[in-house]
Amino acid sequence: MGLMNTADAALDDKAIVAAAEKALADIAVIRTEVGKVIFGQESVVEQTLLAVLSGGHALLVGVPGLAKTKLVTTLGTVLGLDSNRVQFTPDLMPSDILGSEVMDQDDTGRRSFRFVPGPIFTQLLMADEINRASPRTQSALLQAMQEYHVTVAGQRNDLPRPFHVLATQNPLEQEGTYPLPEAQLDRFLMQVDVDYPELAAERRILLETTGTHESSVKAVLDAPQLMGIQNLIRQMPVSETVVDAILTLVRSARPGHGNADTDRHVAWGPGPRAGQSLMLTARARALYDGRLAPSVDDIAALAEPVLQHRMALTFAARAEGMSVRDVIAGLVKTLKA
């Protein structure tokens, strides 16, 4: 029996390695396709793709005109997912996203209610400028993002699988925006900061997007293949060293857990979802780089996008000019020490 278990384990290992090699080849093609229309922004593309490969949602934050919407549209095409786009505005209502019941009347005059699904019933929902809508409308996504179904008129309606929300957000200092509720921020696997492109990338943008021909992309995967990669990532082994690093990092980011700098600067810290997010995205990053297991370096690299939207600074820390990034950078240094 022991020999059979050993043989089965070896077979499983071989199957995982074979699946990983296939996934790595697919990811390489995805990166090539995305690179046809998104110039530069390698870290943004990587982090957004890691969120999707991990089975989660991502919040892309940056000023207008940095190709956030174009990136989401491109990923929907390349990953072969059905996608819908919702432009969030101050007058948008929850029913505009979830759908609503309408009254039908048949030939006999009998009346009944029929549910008309909203745009959320898709595999990839692009929530464009999500912070332009009121918190009431933003909260329409809460149940869907966590439980993958919505309840309308007391009836449960399951969403298609896979289901991902890729939301874009303008910086909050701009007029006409509403900060996202903390409960909703926590449901985003990662916050991806989109900065201005580098000089070479911006030069390429000028030359290749203002002519008569514009590059297009094609589908590389379909939904079942993407779900296969997501399942593979959940099977990848994680060493005790990496698990301990995740726990150390997440717990040290909470006030009252033994870190003096955190106690002084952080009002509230990340919950268990942050650790779950690090476990998944670290595995995805390892696969993205052609490795079969994550390392502590993956945790350090993903600390900022996973933690920054799950923490808040004290008033005194903000008055001193500190940022959440500064606090996370200090925690990562401690982690590497």
Side-chain angles (χ1 to χ4, degrees), residues 238-280:
V238 181
S239 68
E240 285 297 321
T241 302
V242 173
V243 173
D244 290 342
I246 292 172
L247 289 171
T248 299
L249 177 64
V250 172
R251 295 179 67 83
S252 66
R254 301 170 184 162
H257 282 72
N259 187 294
D261 289 337
T262 299
D263 292 343
R264 188 163 59 252
H265 298 134
V266 178
W268 51 266
R273 275 202 195 103
Q276 294 171 323
S277 300
L278 282 169
M279 281 282 283
L280 287 171

Side-chain angles (χ1 to χ4, degrees), residues 175-188:
E175 293 182 7
T177 59
Y178 300 83
L180 267 66
E182 287 79 7
Q184 183 168 351
L185 283 171
D186 194 32
R187 283 166 169 77
F188 284 104

